[in-house]
Structures are given as structure tokens and as C-alpha cells.
Amino acid sequence: MTRRPDLGALIADLPTARFGRPLFVHESVPSTNDLARRLAEEGAGEGTAVLALEQTRGRGRLGRSWASPPGGLYLSVVLRPRLPPARWPLLSLAVALGAASGAAEASRQQVMLKWPNDLVTSGAKVGGILLEAAADHAVAGIGINASSPPAALPPWGGVLGVALPPLLRAVLVHVEQSVDLVYAEAGQVLDRWRARCLTLGRHVRVLGAEVVEGVAEDIDGDGALVVRTHSGARRIVAGDVSVREAVG
Ligand code: BTN
């Protein structure tokens, strides 16, 4: 049986201005994104957060499910974007960057990013972000396999190997910094993203509305992946990327 983590000290001593204020903690819920969305609809401010120790119907990107056994971090944060809607995809990059920085700090491991928002350690996906947008708010759902039982994860899933309280604290601190930075100077978030990104410079195959193959060249100012194909550069705004060999 997994021991319930002690989050009291963390909540009392959280060094953030908005993120995790307040933080609602649940034993088990279908999806923290649903609870956070309801709070946002009732007027909750940016940073209001919902944590669950387990999800029974965790959602992933592209309509997939997200395995959510006890031992993982399942966190959703209300955002009140201070960006024009066309630039909201940058929020998802900012949250992924903050989550990766927090995960790296708490675990003392290198945590890389795979476009659009996978957290990867030692070649395995250990976390992901699901940003769900509405007219006047967005909910950023963060899932990280902190110390999840490997048998409960899909074959491609890895485990970070870190306790929940320090990971939660580091993630809230870094995601807040990263979201503040995207509001103030989005270019800096993109630079930091590129530096942590394992997709760039690699042959990729993107499964989206169509299949695109080529070399991942850049992440542009709106957060799209730019892929150099035989017929020229293509901007990818959504899809699933498989990374092949490094180029040159
Ligand atoms: C992905 O597919 O990579 C994104 C996974 C996002 C999972 C998180 S866990 C907290 C929040 N609640 C959900 O149902 N999904 C997100």
C-alpha cells in the first residue's frame, strides 16, 4: 500500500505568489482537469490548483488515457492567460518547461523535452502536459510518474524516482516562473525550451492530420515545430512526434 504523502508542511511553506494558492488535495478523482475547470468556471484565479493522489480516468493528449496510479503527480492549475488566444499554445510550452525544470531540480536528473510537451528522462517519457482551453481561462494538467509502480504504466513510460512533496513544490515554483516569463518575454521561454529540447536537429516523423517526415529545425515564435521536408519547411501545430536518428 502507498503511504499518503505529508503535504501539510509544503502547503504552509509554499514560496509561490499564485501557483498552488489555494491547492485542493484529493485522494482519488476521475481527472484533476475536470475539477480545476469547474473551479475556473466559478471564478477561481490563476494559480488555483488541484492535486490528486490517484486518477481513475486521467486524460492524455490526443484523446488518450493517462495511467494515474498512486505514486504519480496529478496536478491541474487554472490559468487566466494574459496572451491573445492565438498565442495560447505558448502556455503549454511554458508549463512543460516549468514542469521539466521542477522535475530536474527535485530528482537531480536531466529532464529533456520532446515537442510538444513530453518530459523525457533516459529515453523514457516520465511526464506530459494537457492544456485544455475555454473562452476566458485554460487548465494546465501536469502528469509526472514520480514514483509510480512501473507495472501500472504503459511500456514506453518511465519513472522519475522522486517523492511527491519535493516534486510538487519544485513544479509549482518553476511553472509559475515559466508562465510569468511567457507573459513578460515569450522569446526567453522559447530559448530555454530549445536548449532542453531533444527533438531539434533530429529526423522526425510527425503523425497529425497527415504524416510529415523530415528534420526538426526549430520551434517558431508561436510554439510550432518547423520541419524541413524534401518539399520545403512545414509548420506543425499539433501531432505526435517520433524521433529518429540525429542528423549529421
Ligand atoms: C500527455 O498525454 O502527455 C499529457 C498527460 C497529462 C496528464 C495530466 S495528469 C493531471 C491532469 N489530469 C488529467 O486527466 N490529465 C492531466
Side-chain angles (χ1 to χ4, degrees):
M1 207 175 88
T2 316
R3 252 187 79 231
R4 193 187 202 287
D6 181 7
L7 299 169
L10 173 136
I11 292 169
D13 188 28
L14 197 60
T16 55
R18 310 187 312 289
F19 280 53
R21 295 172 178 278
L23 172 68
F24 297 98
V25 181
H26 296 266
E27 201 75 44
S28 177
V29 299
S31 163
T32 52
N33 266 27
D34 292 341
L35 272 68
R37 188 193 63 229
R38 232 165 284 148
L39 290 167
E41 286 167 357
E42 288 163 6
E46 177 159 286
T48 300
V50 178
L51 178 86
L53 305 180
E54 168 190 58
Q55 295 184 121
T56 52
R57 286 175 54 195
R59 291 195 295 278
R61 286 177 57 242
L62 306 172
R64 299 189 183 121
S65 62
W66 183 258
S68 308
L73 176 144
Y74 313 111
L75 175 70
S76 296
V77 183
V78 173
L79 299 175
R80 298 278 175 195
R82 283 180 251 146
L83 291 172
R87 306 205 82 204
W88 285 19
L90 288 175
L91 279 170
S92 151
L93 293 192
V95 172
L97 176 68
S101 308
E105 181 179 291
S107 69
R108 302 201 174 110
Q109 293 173 59
Q110 196 178 42
V111 179
M112 302 296 284
L113 289 164
K114 181 161 101 55
W115 190 92
N117 46 29
D118 288 357
L119 276 54
V120 175
T121 299
S122 306
K125 174 165 173 171
V126 296
I129 311 299
L130 176 67
L131 192 95
E132 294 181 321
D136 64 345
H137 70 266
V139 169
I142 302 166
I144 302 178
N145 304 331
S147 54
S148 319
L153 299 177
W156 40 262
V159 177
L160 193 59
V162 66
L164 185 61
L167 177 64
L168 174 63
R169 178 188 169 99
V171 165
L172 285 168
V173 167
H174 284 271
V175 171
E176 178 172 271
Q177 284 171 1
S178 192
V179 168
D180 281 344
L181 191 59
V182 88
Y183 292 155
E185 217 170 331
Q188 282 211 31
V189 167
L190 290 167
D191 286 345
R192 291 179 195 189
W193 225 96
R194 292 181 186 107
R196 213 181 252 280
C197 178
L198 55 73
T199 318
L200 297 181
R202 310 282 290 264
H203 274 291
V204 294
R205 186 165 199 265
V206 189
L207 291 176
E210 56 179 321
V211 179
V212 174
E213 279 197 23
V215 177
E217 267 191 349
D218 195 15
I219 293 161
D220 75 10
D222 292 324
L225 184 69
V226 181
V227 177
R228 172 73 48 191
T229 71
H230 290 305
S231 52
R234 297 284 305 272
R235 274 187 87 244
I236 313 289
V237 293
D240 229 9
V241 175
S242 46
V243 177
R244 281 128 184 249
E245 76 277 15
V247 177

Coordinates of all heavy atoms in Angstrom, one line a residue, residues 105 141 174 196:
E105 N 15.1 19.6 -11.0 CA 15.6 20.0 -9.7 C 15.3 19.0 -8.6 O 16.2 18.7 -7.8 CB 15.0 21.4 -9.3 CG 15.4 22.0 -8.0 CD 14.8 23.3 -7.7 OE1 15.1 24.3 -8.5 OE2 13.9 23.4 -6.8
G141 N -3.0 20.7 -17.1 CA -2.9 19.4 -16.4 C -1.4 18.9 -16.5 O -0.9 18.8 -17.7
H174 N 8.6 26.4 -10.4 CA 9.1 26.6 -11.7 C 8.0 26.8 -12.8 O 8.3 27.6 -13.7 CB 10.0 25.4 -12.2 CG 11.3 25.3 -11.5 ND1 12.4 26.0 -12.0 CD2 11.7 24.8 -10.3 CE1 13.4 25.8 -11.2 NE2 13.0 25.1 -10.1
R196 N 16.5 22.7 -24.0 CA 16.2 21.5 -23.3 C 15.5 20.4 -24.2 O 15.1 19.4 -23.8 CB 15.2 21.8 -22.1 CG 15.3 21.0 -20.9 CD 14.3 21.4 -19.9 NE 14.8 22.2 -18.8 CZ 15.4 21.6 -17.8 NH1 15.5 20.3 -17.7 NH2 15.9 22.3 -16.8

